[in-house]
Amino acid sequence: MLGKLALAGIKNRRRDYLVLLLGLTMSAAIFYMFANLATNRAFIKANAVVSQASLIFGFGAVLLILITIVYIMYANSFLLSMRQHDYGLFMMLGATRKRVGELVFLETLILGSLATAVGIVLGLAMSQFLVGFLLDMLGLHLAHLSAVYLPAIVATAVLYVGLFILASLFNLVRLTRTTVLKLLHTDEQANQPKVHPFRQMVAAILGVCFLAIGYWSLAAIKDLQMTAIPIALVTITIGTYLLFRATILVIIQGLRRTRWAKKHLNGFLLGQLNFRVYNYTRMLTIVSLLFAMALGAITVGSGYHRQLPMMANSLGTYTMAIHDKNAQEQHLIDQLNVKHQATYTQKRQGKVVYYNAAELKQQPFELNRGTTEAKYATHPKYYTESLKQFKQKGSQSLDFLSLAIRSEQGFYAPQILSAQQFAKQSGKTMTVTTVRVKNLNQDKRVLKRLNKLELARFAQPEAMTVGNYQSYELMSGFFGGLEFMGYFLGIAFLAMLASCLMFKILSGAPGDQRRYQMLYKVGVRQRLMRVGIAKEIGILFLIPGIMGVIDVLFGLQMFKPLMQSPMSPYLGIGSIFAIFIGLYAIYYAITLALYWRIVLPKAPTN
Amino acid sequence: MKMKTVVDVHDLEKTYGKANERQYQALKGLNFTVAAGEFVGIMGASGSGKTTLLNMLSTLDVPTRGDVMVNGHDVTKMRGNQLADFRAQEVGFIFQDFNLLESLTAEENIGLPLALKGTSSRVMDQAIHEVAETLSIADLLPKYPSELSGGQKQRVAAARAIVHHPAILMGDEPTGALDSTSARELLDLLTTINQKQKMSVLLVTHDPFSASFCQRILFIKDGLIGSEIKRGDQDRSAFYQQILNELGTFNE
Ligand SMILES: Nc1ncnc2c1ncn2[C@@H]1O[C@H](COP(=O)(O)OP(=O)(O)O)[C@@H](O)[C@H]1O
Ligand SMILES: [Mg+2]
């Protein structure tokens, strides 16, 4: 009988359950995808050439586990908030605590197991398609990636089911300890927090101190190594929590005493925020951390994405050198955004390669200050020399030396002959075309094909071509894992952040529905209510957003050792921040629209 | 001299349900008026359409047919913001379930109608304290609704309903959730408001005791005004007896 009642209760809140189930399923799927990447030995071996990369993968895994735990705690409290009224009612109707306890336990566990099972299946599918898609978009190639990996399945199942068993036990204890009356009336209780100036001050100062320690430990990652991350996680979490708890409340209560609070719905807004922010402190802390991690991860990922070509460009002058170009290669070159291009005739004999002075005079060989002077590393400066100067200096540059395809014995020594002498000179003749493109990232696809063709015809002894594109490909091999991780974790954290806020806000909606119904009856204009809700939810979004941005600005210090000059974790973060904040704003708009729909009273019609 | 009328209801009909659904006609052509300064009761069995009527008067719902004039405004012709402003300025409403915002203190709750009008905070404070004096709830002002008893909550709600001096105060079973002592206090309060502030009061109730505080009572049955009685010069207990008698015959 009770079981039937419980089922009916669930049916009534189908939509909320669907949101909950969806969120949990997504979380399990994301975890599986990551576990698959992080534990797949073959994959790690093939890609994590840099020792720090495996460290970063480990760090990512720990982070994801922590966030998952917190996330499930949230989902669980959302579940409990949906159900406690029903449970209270059952107890009032005479059901024993033990019976209700069993019910709670089962319900949580069934929901959790279901989410885990569906999540793993979804994770398998996403590993197959999404990861491939992301890699393709980034133009990365990660070897030995398979969607199905048993240890990852086991890890996901164990973690999630384990966590849900804990959550069920927690719910059981919670429910059997709370009085029936409290269970029945939780919706209507709006505990009003009191301000204690002294305690508040202490909390604020402590909060700032904790934050400072956290930021410092991230900056000092070189010395602290792995310990930096747990230190930062703990201190920043505590610091943010204390700071929120101490300051936001004081500000709101201060505002409540002003005249501004007595205009229109401002007083109501502050009243709402007052008890909401207090109840939401934990959630806002978590969301600010998730925000920081998502933004940080994406910033780092895109940092590599944008800066690897830049790094590559600082290594040489031409993007690629093609020997004896054929029609197909010419066709590809025509598709490039060429900034500079030159073709020289080479004659190789013995250990010498001969060039025609007339050709070099007509199209001087381009040189790059960035390769020699650090200050031009981020903004390469191209220049040419007079032929006389070039014979002495420029012709000895690595870029020029590499133009002649090497033999096993090493470089050919370049020699520049006058046109007549060159004509008479015997030797193996071929042409070389140097191409410098405007933007390596933009032309990546064409360059890749061109590189393949060149490689098939004229490989150097190491099976490589020459030019910045080759350097770029090599570096992507090293850092591609990091770049991918950045994007992947960033998107994962953003998704979790989204559903965390969604749970919390949706669980507050029934209460707000009543409140706005009241306002409607009292004669508040529709527009005023809309604006009021927009402000309220906006502030709830803004607080963790601001804190998250601050966290990221300090936290990027951590990547300094991994992104050495000319790369920098801070380079070009403006546009990434703008995009991320744009996404966050879209998410805000969606939440707001949803909330409006749930909460705003509808005008009567005939 | 003829008294000014605050409420004028003419041929009011209300049918619930859309044309293609199952329909139910709750009001079937109601006519009545309330004069300025009157204390009128509306009685009827549960389901007779009392709440429906009050919702039409307070623009929370729209009539299917008929006219409703409140303080000179044709309620049926208003749209959007006009409706909201009408509720905010012309009527005061006391609900059975108090309708207090629990995130605001009593003082902030009472000030809400004035804040909506954009009243300056000085005038607002003065008005709040005046009404709090009248209803003897000054000591409740800094408290939150969760710290108040049902009777206290309803008095705060009454203060909010009259703080902006509306043309008429309406109550839908405001004593419904109160114990008898609190109910009595509230009814005395409504009488005070009616007499001291010369405010019209329209009280919906199914309880004869509550109704005995009114000057005139309209009985609704099957969506129509069935009968009407006046208190005249009788004292309250005599009027109470008359109501009981009337209900006896009315319910046959
Ligand atoms: N929203 C509605 N939809 C359909 N029928 C309704 C609705 N509201 C009330 N009714 C019906 O109209 C009748 C009058 O209801 P109501 O005005 O609430 O009665 P009272 O307040 O006198 O108890 C009842 O039969 C009720 O079932
Ligand atoms: Mg009713």
Side-chain angles (χ1 to χ4, degrees):
Chain A
M1 181 59 202
L2 211 51
K4 242 190 204 160
L5 275 177
L7 261 179
I10 294 175
K11 255 195 201 149
N12 282 337
R13 303 198 63 164
R14 279 192 295 277
R15 210 183 45 195
D16 295 337
Y17 269 92
L18 211 65
V19 171
L20 183 66
L21 205 60
L22 222 70
L24 288 172
T25 305
M26 275 307 287
S27 146
I30 288 171
F31 188 84
Y32 171 77
M33 278 199 285
F34 192 80
N36 181 21
L37 290 178
T39 57
N40 207 322
R41 296 223 164 270
F43 165 73
I44 294 258
K45 257 205 185 130
N47 294 286
V49 192
V50 186
S51 69
Q52 272 136 326
S54 61
L55 190 144
I56 289 281
F57 259 94
F59 166 51
V62 172
L63 259 186
L64 201 61
I65 290 175
L66 281 178
I67 292 299
T68 303
I69 293 173
V70 173
Y71 181 79
I72 289 184
M73 262 168 51
Y74 263 99
N76 189 47
S77 73
F78 173 58
L79 177 70
L80 207 60
S81 80
M82 285 202 301
R83 297 296 282 155
Q84 53 194 6
H85 187 267
D86 280 3
Y87 293 143
L89 207 63
F90 296 162
M91 286 194 213
M92 209 180 69
L93 294 175
T96 58
R97 270 176 196 275
K98 190 164 159 287
R99 185 79 186 83
V100 172
E102 279 169 20
L103 213 61
V104 180
F105 187 84
L106 270 180
E107 216 181 289
T108 316
L109 206 59
I110 291 174
L111 191 78
S113 310
L114 195 68
T116 313
V118 180
I120 290 175
V121 174
L122 190 69
L124 282 170
M126 291 209 304
S127 296
Q128 188 75 4
F129 301 109
L130 205 71
V131 174
F133 175 72
L134 191 60
L135 288 174
D136 197 46
M137 275 229 326
L138 298 173
L140 291 175
H141 178 73
L142 300 183
H144 300 284
L145 186 61
S146 62
V148 186
Y149 187 59
L150 195 64
I153 296 180
V154 173
T156 312
V158 167
L159 179 73
Y160 272 75
V161 174
L163 282 175
F164 277 111
I165 290 176
L166 281 182
S168 315
L169 285 174
F170 173 81
N171 286 353
L172 191 115
V173 173
R174 238 321 255 289
L175 270 166
T176 41
R177 287 254 177 101
T178 324
T179 64
V180 176
L181 220 62
K182 258 216 171 120
L183 286 177
L184 280 173
H185 295 291
T186 36
D187 286 355
E188 294 131 49
Q189 287 164 357
N191 37 355
Q192 292 300 333
K194 297 258 180 308
V195 172
H196 306 275
F198 179 71
R199 262 191 252 171
Q200 225 87 356
M201 269 290 269
V202 173
I205 293 170
L206 265 177
V208 172
C209 289
F210 270 114
L211 281 177
I213 294 173
Y215 293 153
W216 167 81
S217 74
L218 285 180
I221 191 162
K222 245 186 164 164
D223 305 321
L224 297 176
Q225 288 293 327
M226 264 307 245
T227 48
I229 288 158
I231 292 178
L233 267 182
V234 171
T235 52
I236 292 178
T237 309
I238 298 177
T240 308
Y241 180 78
L242 288 175
L243 196 66
F244 279 175
R245 190 115 195 176
T247 51
I248 297 174
L249 213 62
V250 174
I251 294 171
I252 291 173
Q253 302 214 344
L255 278 176
R256 269 183 113 171
R257 280 192 270 276
T258 62
R259 281 186 188 182
W260 179 81
K262 294 190 175 164
K263 280 270 141 50
H264 307 296
L265 277 187
N266 294 344
F268 175 69
L269 171 69
L270 290 173
Q272 287 272 90
L273 284 174
N274 190 39
F275 82 90
R276 192 146 280 182
V277 164
Y278 191 77
N279 288 339
Y280 283 19
T281 316
R282 258 186 317 165
M283 194 265 310
L284 291 177
T285 306
I286 299 298
V287 169
S288 84
L289 284 180
L290 278 175
F291 186 98
M293 287 183 210
L295 177 58
I298 289 179
T299 307
V300 169
S302 88
Y304 280 118
H305 189 63
R306 280 172 301 117
Q307 296 181 35
L308 281 182
M310 186 188 84
M311 177 88 171
N313 279 338
S314 75
L315 295 178
T317 70
Y318 44 86
T319 314
M320 198 178 284
I322 297 134
H323 295 85
D324 277 347
K325 61 180 175 191
N326 59 21
Q328 193 187 357
E329 285 169 334
Q330 183 60 51
H331 181 70
L332 287 173
I333 292 175
D334 291 342
Q335 292 174 28
L336 297 171
N337 294 301
V338 175
K339 200 68 184 181
H340 183 270
Q341 183 180 351
T343 301
Y344 309 106
T345 316
Q346 299 172 324
K347 286 188 178 171
R348 280 185 294 178
Q349 188 166 59
K351 293 188 116 192
V352 182
V353 57
Y354 300 96
Y355 287 94
N356 185 344
E359 280 179 3
L360 278 165
K361 189 151 183 120
Q362 204 194 353
Q363 19 173 356
F365 184 75
E366 220 185 28
L367 295 161
N368 178 5
R369 276 201 213 291
T371 58
T372 47
E373 288 172 63
K375 67 174 169 175
Y376 293 114
T378 45
H379 297 282
K381 200 171 152 116
Y382 299 97
Y383 68 102
T384 53
E385 293 172 331
S386 70
L387 194 59
K388 202 173 141 223
Q389 220 178 359
F390 183 71
K391 275 183 178 164
Q392 286 172 7
K393 275 178 69 190
S395 61
Q396 300 307 311
S397 71
L398 191 64
D399 286 320
F400 193 65
L401 288 178
S402 325
L403 277 187
I405 294 164
R406 264 170 295 153
S407 62
E408 298 293 344
Q409 308 103 46
F411 290 115
Y412 289 89
Q415 230 182 62
I416 298 166
L417 304 176
S418 69
Q420 296 101 313
Q421 280 176 311
F422 185 76
K424 277 186 262 164
Q425 179 65 44
S426 63
K428 196 163 181 260
T429 308
M430 63 180 4
T431 65
V432 60
T433 306
T434 63
V435 182
R436 173 160 68 82
V437 299
K438 205 166 135 200
N439 183 336
L440 202 154
N441 237 346
Q442 206 179 343
D443 286 329
K444 216 155 50 185
R445 270 161 216 283
V446 182
L447 286 170
K448 189 173 184 148
R449 287 168 62 195
L450 209 50
N451 198 47
K452 256 202 187 126
L453 290 174
E454 167 78 5
L455 208 54
R457 296 170 59 210
F458 305 101
Q460 310 268 356
E462 304 88 351
M464 289 197 297
T465 62
V466 293
N468 294 343
Y469 178 74
Q470 183 66 60
S471 317
Y472 167 75
E473 268 207 347
L474 282 179
M475 286 192 295
S476 313
F478 292 149
F479 294 106
L482 283 183
E483 179 186 336
F484 172 75
M485 270 260 307
Y487 278 109
F488 181 85
L489 282 182
I491 293 169
F493 289 149
L494 189 66
M496 287 200 192
L497 172 156
S499 43
C500 251
L501 263 169
M502 177 95 100
F503 288 153
K504 196 67 192 181
I505 284 173
L506 275 184
S507 60
D512 268 357
Q513 210 171 15
R514 271 186 318 114
R515 282 177 213 120
Y516 281 95
Q517 190 68 40
M518 290 180 195
L519 288 176
Y520 169 77
K521 286 183 181 169
V522 174
V524 179
R525 291 183 177 192
Q526 192 84 2
R527 217 189 99 74
L528 209 54
M529 289 195 270
R530 273 175 178 272
V531 174
I533 295 174
K535 279 188 198 159
E536 186 184 330
I537 296 187
I539 290 171
L540 291 181
F541 267 79
L542 206 59
I543 294 171
I546 291 174
M547 197 63 212
V549 168
I550 295 175
D551 285 346
V552 172
L553 288 178
F554 282 101
L556 284 179
Q557 287 289 339
M558 181 169 109
F559 290 92
K560 273 213 162 142
L562 276 176
M563 295 177 105
Q564 274 155 4
S565 171
M567 293 200 285
S568 153
Y570 291 95
L571 208 65
I573 55 175
S575 53
I576 283 297
F577 274 39
I579 293 172
F580 190 85
I581 290 168
L583 281 178
Y584 194 62
I586 291 174
Y587 176 58
Y588 161 68
I590 294 173
T591 312
L592 185 61
L594 257 175
Y595 211 67
W596 273 342
R597 245 197 36 206
I598 301 177
V599 163
L600 278 181
K602 283 164 199 57
T605 49
N606 232 329
Chain B
M1 193 190 90
K2 193 171 172 288
M3 284 286 267
K4 196 184 151 212
T5 55
V6 227
V7 175
D8 187 355
V9 173
H10 190 70
D11 280 342
L12 182 63
E13 286 182 25
K14 176 67 185 179
T15 306
Y16 285 116
K18 295 199 182 82
N20 49 0
E21 290 169 7
R22 234 180 54 166
Q23 293 195 321
Y24 178 80
Q25 194 174 22
L27 300 179
K28 302 174 179 165
L30 233 67
N31 289 291
F32 72 92
T33 57
V34 176
E38 246 191 320
F39 191 156
V40 176
I42 293 180
M43 287 195 78
S46 177
S48 56
K50 306 183 294 292
T51 300
T52 305
L53 170 63
L54 221 54
N55 285 347
M56 306 289 134
L57 295 182
S58 57
T59 73
L60 290 176
D61 204 348
V62 284
T64 312
R65 270 243 293 283
D67 295 317
V68 178
M69 300 286 286
V70 176
N71 202 27
H73 300 276
D74 188 344
V75 170
T76 53
K77 297 247 155 57
M78 290 194 274
R79 293 286 171 271
N81 285 340
Q82 286 175 315
L83 287 170
D85 293 349
F86 170 82
R87 284 198 294 278
Q89 286 156 27
E90 303 290 343
V91 293
F93 217 109
I94 314 180
F95 304 87
Q96 181 173 351
D97 56 358
F98 319 123
N99 215 21
L100 291 175
L101 293 157
E102 73 270 38
S103 50
L104 300 182
T105 61
E107 179 168 3
E108 288 165 331
N109 263 295
I110 297 173
L112 195 62
L114 298 176
L116 289 178
K117 272 209 264 186
T119 313
S120 80
S121 70
R122 204 173 41 80
V123 176
M124 192 191 295
D125 287 344
Q126 202 178 346
I128 292 172
H129 285 99
E130 240 165 59
V131 75
E133 283 307 318
T134 319
L135 308 191
S136 358
I137 52 167
D139 52 326
L140 304 182
L141 288 184
K143 295 197 174 178
Y144 284 98
S146 58
E147 302 164 313
L148 301 177
S149 74
Q152 290 172 326
K153 277 187 205 170
Q154 203 57 302
R155 275 188 283 162
V156 171
R160 183 181 66 186
I162 61 168
V163 71
H164 54 304
H165 301 289
I168 183 166
L169 174 63
M170 303 186 198
D172 188 358
E173 316 239 9
T175 55
L178 302 183
D179 60 82
S180 59
T181 320
S182 305
R184 168 99 202 224
E185 279 170 6
L186 183 75
L187 290 162
D188 282 332
L189 212 69
L190 293 181
T191 312
T192 314
I193 292 168
N194 175 245
Q195 286 169 358
K196 283 210 184 133
Q197 316 226 348
K198 304 274 178 270
M199 197 178 289
S200 317
V201 178
L202 190 62
L203 179 70
V204 161
T205 180
H206 68 271
D207 164 38
F209 176 75
S210 299
S212 69
F213 284 76
C214 305
Q215 293 161 356
R216 183 158 68 99
I217 296 173
L218 306 168
F219 291 87
I220 300 194
K221 193 177 181 184
D222 300 330
L224 287 166
I225 304 275
S227 60
E228 176 183 336
I229 56 172
K230 284 187 177 153
R231 176 162 162 187
D233 295 329
Q234 306 174 68
D235 67 3
R236 230 194 50 240
S237 54
F239 191 45
Y240 178 60
Q241 203 51 54
Q242 191 188 354
I243 297 170
L244 288 182
N245 293 341
E246 182 64 31
L247 281 176
T249 52
F250 190 70
N251 284 340
E252 269 158 27

